Amino acid sequence: MIRAARVDELERLRGIEFAAGEIFRSCGMDAIADDEPLTVTELALFQTRGGALVFADASDVPVAYLLLEYLDGNAHVEQLSVHPSHARRGLGSELLDAAEKWAHAEGLAWLTLTTFRDVAWNAPYYRRLGFEELDPDMLDNGLRGIVECEGLVGLSRWPRIAMRRRVRSILSHEESVSLC
Ligand SMILES: CC(C)(COP(=O)(O)OP(=O)(O)OC[C@H]1O[C@@H](n2cnc3c(N)ncnc32)[C@H](O)[C@@H]1OP(=O)(O)O)[C@@H](O)C(=O)NCCC(=O)NCCS
């Protein structure tokens, strides 16, 4: 079940990101695996606005999460992490659909994100889910700023790209999540 994260779950979200990041060692990107997740305070900025969605297991314990924010008049996916114990069961895709429902209810046209171009579970994964690559010269200011910051913190050692998916109108408002 997908729901908003609770404040007492933010440390758990950090644990999910640590565990999910381990997969980057398999392609020599140890620096990404070692990268410190967002702090509880940073996560709280998303959580208090309803922009931290979790997929909770049958015991109501989060096993995956997505961070969402307004950017350039669109809904920007800041982070998507699925604990390896629950990987490849469609949770990532379901969380993206939940983000899209929110964006639709808000009347926003696009879901955007930045990701590694050549990592199998990043850009190729998003492409399969309907995201398209954005021309770096055509980025709006917010997205360009994020790409520039990623370069400053060393993420662009491996090619990064920005992507977007059009928000589809087939998703019902009733199922949408709220972001204050
Ligand atoms: C990317 C991620 C969120 C996908 O979550 P998920 O719930 O496992 O994904 P889904 O079940 O929706 O989709 C599974 C698809 O993802 C891709 N994928 C997931 N893990 C993969 C891996 N280890 N190698 C290659 N492709 C992979 C495949 O296309 C897979 O489809 P398949 O199982 O039919 O081959 C998850 O792998 C993760 O948390 N990765 C580490 C953090 C990360 O890279 N986040 C995205 C940053 S932009």
Side-chain angles (χ1 to χ4, degrees):
M1 160 194 160
I2 294 177
R3 59 168 173 77
R6 296 189 278 261
V7 70
D8 62 348
E9 294 173 328
L10 299 180
E11 195 60 55
R12 175 172 290 277
L13 302 194
R14 300 184 84 241
I16 292 171
E17 189 180 337
F18 259 131
E22 281 298 306
I23 194 174
F24 284 99
R25 297 193 198 284
S26 67
C27 52
M29 297 169 70
D30 289 30
I32 303 303
D34 292 334
D35 200 29
E36 194 64 23
L38 294 182
T39 64
V40 165
T41 305
E42 288 165 330
L43 288 169
L45 291 175
F46 290 88
Q47 189 268 335
T48 52
R49 287 175 287 163
L53 304 180
V54 299
F55 192 107
D57 68 10
S59 306
D60 200 32
V61 175
V63 293
Y65 77 98
L66 179 150
L67 300 180
L68 188 62
E69 63 186 350
Y70 294 102
L71 188 75
D72 298 328
N74 294 310
H76 182 72
V77 178
E78 165 59 29
Q79 182 69 39
L80 173 63
S81 289
V82 177
H83 194 283
S85 62
H86 286 71
R88 302 183 100 152
R89 298 184 200 176
L91 273 54
S93 168
E94 284 191 46
L95 279 164
L96 287 165
D97 286 348
E100 189 174 339
K101 283 172 190 163
W102 172 81
H104 180 253
E106 290 294 304
L108 305 177
W110 299 97
L111 272 189
T112 62
L113 53 82
T114 60
T115 194
F116 290 111
R117 186 189 69 194
D118 302 326
V119 174
W121 54 92
N122 280 190
Y125 166 66
Y126 291 118
R127 204 166 280 123
R128 274 194 292 281
L129 293 178
F131 283 80
E132 62 186 15
E133 182 171 350
L134 287 166
D135 181 337
D137 295 330
M138 303 292 285
L139 300 184
D140 288 332
N141 286 342
L143 209 42
R144 178 176 296 111
I146 286 181
V147 171
E148 285 172 4
C149 283
E150 290 175 347
L152 290 174
V153 299
L155 282 185
S156 55
R157 257 175 79 189
W158 299 274
R160 298 277 296 174
I161 59 170
M163 303 183 85
R164 71 178 181 180
R165 183 169 87 181
R166 186 176 278 287
V167 171
R168 297 162 292 182
S169 58
I170 52 168
L171 303 160
S172 85
H173 286 241
E174 291 72 33
E175 292 173 305
S176 67
V177 292
S178 68
L179 184 67
C180 313

